[in-house]
Amino acid sequence: MTVLDFDGIAFDPTGTRPQAVAAPTPAAAPAAPEQVTSVAQQASSALAPVHAPQSGAGPVHPVAADAIAAMRAGVIEAHRAALTAQTALQREVWRRARAATVGAEAATHALPAAAAAVTAGAQQAPVPPSTPVFLAPEGAFKPLARTAVSRLDRAALERLAAGELSAVFGRTHQRTGVEVTARLAATTPLTLTEIESIEVYGGTGNGRVLARFDGDPRAAALQAAELFALYTGMPLCLSGSTLTGGVGETEAGFGSGIVDLVVDRLDLVPRPFLQATATLDGGAALAVTVMVAERLGAEVGPGQAVPRVLLNEFHMAHLARGDQAIAMGPEFAEYTGVRATRLPTGGLLLVDRVLRFDGERGNLESASYDTEYDSPADSWYYGDTANDSMPHFVYMETSLQAALLMGYYAGPTLTQPGTTLSLRNLGGTATVLRQIDLRGKTIQQSSRLLSTTILPGSSLQTFDYTLSVDGEPFYRGETMFGYFSDQALGNQTGLDAGKYVPSWLSEHPEAAPRVIDVAARRADPASPACSRRKLALIDRVEVVDEGGNYGAGYLRSLRTIDPQDWFFARHFHLDPVIPGSLGVESVIHAVQEWMLDAGFADGMADPVFRIPRDIAFSWRYRGQFLPTDGTVELEAHIKSVHRGPHGATVVVDGSLWKPGLRIYELIDLAIELADRKALS
């Protein structure tokens, strides 16, 4: 087993003065186990101030040293101010969102008395643009269960009214240990007679139900919304739950006709609920709200919402942006609504359930656990990637999120009460064991917490993990996470201990790069193997043929950071930073564009990119990209090119910079271009 070493502090928790650092040396071969220094020893030595000047350098003039210290202090103070401002902004966003969802929850219990308020709330809810049925937009509600059923007759509706959910929709609507008591029309006579269509993500909004009814139109509107809640599996995350709801007033009397229900909003926080607009024959529109509610007095925390499952989708949503006491237990209540460790949200939340946890809170030395992630075939990233299957960043995110989840659950932050600690990945290594199409698959994630080291203002954890489908591993790796205080996050030292290390191109002004216009190629719908929409991460690539550290080619790209970039709202709630995995993905895109530009796809009938198997990739992160950082600069050094009978594989080393600081390093990142038709 490889031992991950922590070779320096990513964020300085004590704010020590600048340290002189020796010039970087080439990476050495892996040390023997008896030569590996423990994480605790290395971290402790890294915290010790270094007073000696750089080897081979003359003494630093006191005035110059003071000036450097003052400049660094100014940068740190600006960084802290940015963190503080972002926290305030995100907290206000959270407060308003929380007020809106709590108001919706209260409205469902008020029923007719609050119908007007519910109507107003539903009318104010934003409706996303229409999206093709085959592709879910990023951030859309992810159903807890899926079915091919899209039409129902009266007999099927009566079975739903009797609580026979899986008998109508199939076995995906039945989970081990979950008592399904939610049923259709529990509070009103069944007025729906036929469901002509049910769709998620299609038409307008998040979903739609087109139904025929005979009787009370208000009951028909409510039942159409209840049907959609059952269809998407909402009750499956709260065993023994029921449906409750409210509907606006209408002058339409009893009769028969068609109800067209458009679902405007779905969420699992604070309880699973949906808001919709129902249009009746004759044009009458009603606002409808339906909520999934646990039994009176029932607990919904870890291991309590569903028997024999520690955490499920409901807890993941709360850990990402809701009540941490619900997600992780009452000990974590102080982290609700403040900057703290969280899972990503929206389309970047890539872990669903914790099935087994062999450990206990407070034991930070070791634990093992099994988690799951469902990767629906209509997931947004399959449509936006140039890869044949899942993009590389999802491989990274789903494994890293599974690892950090239970490391956090073990309670490292609880050892430092009153301290705000944010999570950052520090590095790791991973290998694809076999190539597999992951569309529509449930990924099993088996992870182990290997160690925890508590330091002043921070702590470190190491993990290993294996991803499998149907019991067969396809991805394996190790990683290290750190928990850092706001002060530590403000004191970034980067990969080079605060020293400015320029890019290769900056050190070779004589080089004359040519430019690949990625944005122009992406604008052409006929362009093959092109990442688009949410994964449009770079717009141009500068190329120096035969340049770089290995003389085989050099790539550079500079991107302006837009504070409104979609991922800041996803990663993390109240603590926005660019996901490190998207930094890796942007380097991959630069290499992909270079491969196409260099003619590697010539002669291919259907060129696609893949992640090569059996090539270990490693990364180190020693900083963060904030919305206010201005730019992301990346470079890639072509290390090797291997051509095979059906394509080519390129291996690169890379780095990413925020202004003045190199913070990401990538080693042996491999990209494969193949002909899909030849492979099949």
Side-chain angles (χ1 to χ4, degrees):
M1 181 184 69
T2 305
V3 177
L4 289 175
D5 294 333
F6 188 52
D7 53 1
I9 49 177
F11 308 101
D12 181 358
T14 59
T16 54
R17 62 191 180 89
Q19 301 176 3
V21 183
T25 57
E34 63 272 13
Q35 295 175 310
V36 177
T37 307
S38 71
V39 171
Q41 290 172 318
Q42 294 215 20
S44 298
S45 62
L47 285 169
V50 178
H51 303 290
Q54 180 177 339
S55 176
V60 180
H61 192 280
V63 175
D66 290 344
I68 293 172
M71 291 175 61
R72 183 171 184 270
V75 171
I76 291 172
E77 188 59 35
H79 193 85
R80 288 176 181 168
L83 285 170
T84 301
Q86 287 165 16
T87 298
L89 176 61
Q90 293 291 319
R91 189 170 295 159
E92 178 62 16
V93 170
W94 176 86
R95 186 192 65 77
R96 293 183 180 182
R98 176 74 176 173
T101 54
V102 170
E105 180 180 0
T108 63
H109 289 90
L111 297 180
V118 175
T119 302
Q123 289 173 341
Q124 293 169 2
V127 178
S130 59
T131 311
V133 174
F134 59 86
L135 182 66
E138 183 280 320
F141 180 80
K142 178 183 172 184
L144 280 71
R146 291 171 183 259
T147 177
V149 175
S150 60
R151 300 175 64 92
L152 299 173
D153 58 16
R154 176 71 181 193
L157 292 169
E158 289 175 347
R159 299 188 78 175
L160 291 176
E164 300 177 26
L165 195 63
S166 61
V168 175
F169 291 134
R171 63 180 183 178
T172 59
H173 282 68
Q174 181 177 2
R175 289 188 179 180
T176 302
V178 177
E179 181 185 0
V180 180
T181 54
R183 59 189 182 92
L184 181 66
T187 59
T188 55
L190 181 62
T191 60
L192 298 181
T193 59
E194 180 186 358
I195 305 301
E196 295 190 353
S197 65
I198 316 173
E199 56 184 355
V200 183
Y201 310 128
T204 303
N206 292 291
R208 187 180 184 188
V209 177
L210 193 63
R212 293 187 178 276
F213 72 95
D214 184 10
D216 183 355
R218 295 179 71 250
L222 178 62
Q223 290 166 22
E226 291 174 342
L227 176 68
F228 195 86
L230 296 172
Y231 181 81
T232 55
M234 279 186 165
L236 295 176
C237 62
L238 294 175
S239 185
S241 58
T242 57
L243 299 180
T244 180
V247 60
E249 296 291 343
T250 177
E251 296 180 358
F254 282 63
S256 60
I258 294 178
V259 56
D260 186 353
L261 182 101
V262 174
V263 180
D264 304 316
R265 186 180 177 200
L266 302 93
D267 203 349
L268 299 180
V269 176
R271 294 295 187 274
F273 78 95
L274 66 85
Q275 292 177 330
T277 302
T279 303
L280 305 171
D281 280 350
L286 299 175
V288 187
T289 301
V290 167
M291 188 182 74
V292 178
E294 69 273 18
R295 288 192 180 104
L296 185 65
E299 299 292 338
V300 295
Q304 298 171 311
V306 171
R308 297 192 293 278
V309 173
L310 183 64
L311 306 174
N312 61 28
E313 295 92 334
F314 172 67
H315 301 101
M316 301 304 166
H318 272 282
L319 180 55
R321 53 192 165 79
D323 187 339
Q324 291 227 10
I326 289 177
M328 308 297 275
E331 301 95 325
F332 288 79
E334 66 176 289
Y335 301 131
T336 297
V338 299
R339 179 190 298 274
T341 296
R342 297 185 185 276
L343 286 173
T345 186
L348 291 180
L349 177 56
L350 301 170
V351 60
D352 289 325
R353 294 171 295 277
V354 179
L355 304 182
R356 181 189 66 88
F357 178 56
D358 182 14
E360 59 182 350
R361 179 153 299 160
N363 179 2
L364 303 177
E365 293 305 314
S366 64
S368 63
Y369 41 96
D370 297 327
T371 58
E372 287 183 340
Y373 168 63
D374 300 325
S375 180
D378 65 352
S379 296
W380 67 274
Y381 46 77
Y382 288 121
D384 290 1
T385 185
N387 279 13
D388 186 31
S389 180
M390 183 177 281
H392 197 287
F393 91 89
V394 181
Y395 273 75
M396 295 183 68
E397 282 294 325
T398 187
S399 53
L400 297 181
Q401 289 176 31
L404 74 88
L405 176 63
M406 299 317 296
Y408 182 48
Y409 183 85
T413 61
L414 301 179
T415 64
Q416 303 182 51
T419 302
T420 300
L421 296 175
S422 296
L423 183 78
R424 297 293 184 265
N425 186 242
L426 297 177
T429 181
T431 306
V432 171
L433 307 177
R434 62 188 178 104
Q435 291 168 325
I436 178 175
D437 189 348
L438 293 166
R439 290 177 178 85
K441 304 293 186 180
T442 293
I443 299 172
Q444 296 94 35
Q445 305 139 325
S446 296
S447 308
R448 294 188 302 169
L449 169 63
L450 303 178
S451 68
T452 301
T453 303
I454 305 298
L455 301 168
S458 61
S459 57
L460 308 174
Q461 289 186 316
T462 58
F463 305 84
D464 64 13
Y465 51 83
T466 300
L467 304 188
S468 305
V469 167
D470 298 327
E472 293 293 327
F474 67 89
Y475 190 66
R476 181 171 291 139
E478 300 174 17
T479 191
M480 177 184 289
F481 284 95
Y483 301 87
F484 299 99
S485 66
D486 284 352
Q487 180 182 9
L489 290 177
N491 298 331
Q492 296 191 48
T493 56
L495 286 161
D496 309 296
K499 177 184 175 183
Y500 172 66
V501 173
S503 66
W504 182 91
L505 189 59
S506 298
E507 290 187 312
H508 294 79
E510 74 284 358
R514 57 186 178 84
V515 175
I516 301 174
D517 190 340
V518 180
R521 197 175 81 83
R522 189 166 55 234
D524 181 0
S527 295
C530 187
S531 296
R532 305 179 189 277
R533 293 173 290 273
K534 298 296 184 183
L535 292 183
L537 301 177
I538 58 174
D539 290 332
R540 65 198 304 269
V541 179
E542 296 176 277
V543 179
V544 179
D545 297 307
E546 300 182 356
N549 291 342
Y550 306 102
Y554 172 83
L555 315 176
R556 174 186 178 272
S557 182
L558 184 68
R559 178 182 179 275
T560 299
I561 296 175
D562 183 351
Q564 301 303 314
D565 281 329
W566 67 275
F567 37 74
F568 286 127
R570 311 296 190 201
H571 186 276
F572 299 98
H573 179 60
L574 306 182
D575 187 17
V577 292
I578 296 180
S581 60
L582 287 184
V584 175
E585 188 74 18
S586 64
V587 175
I588 291 172
H589 292 182
V591 178
Q592 290 175 342
E593 294 296 332
W594 174 77
M595 293 180 74
L596 294 172
D597 182 75
F600 286 81
D602 292 353
M604 292 185 180
D606 187 10
V608 293
F609 289 102
R610 308 197 302 176
I611 309 172
R613 55 182 292 180
D614 299 328
I615 300 178
F617 153 64
S618 62
W619 67 95
R620 289 197 303 153
Y621 302 151
R622 296 295 185 266
Q624 57 184 350
F625 287 105
L626 299 175
T628 54
D629 277 336
T631 58
V632 175
E633 180 182 10
L634 68 85
E635 71 174 13
H637 303 267
I638 308 301
K639 200 170 186 177
S640 67
V641 177
H642 174 74
R643 292 181 180 268
H646 302 303
T649 298
V650 173
V651 179
V652 305
D653 291 345
S655 293
L656 285 87
W657 283 258
K658 63 189 300 176
L661 204 63
R662 188 173 73 102
I663 61 173
Y664 293 0
E665 181 179 67
L666 318 175
I667 304 296
D668 291 335
L669 180 60
I671 298 93
E672 178 182 347
L673 178 63
D675 189 339
R676 179 157 36 198
K677 289 192 175 180
L679 293 172
S680 60

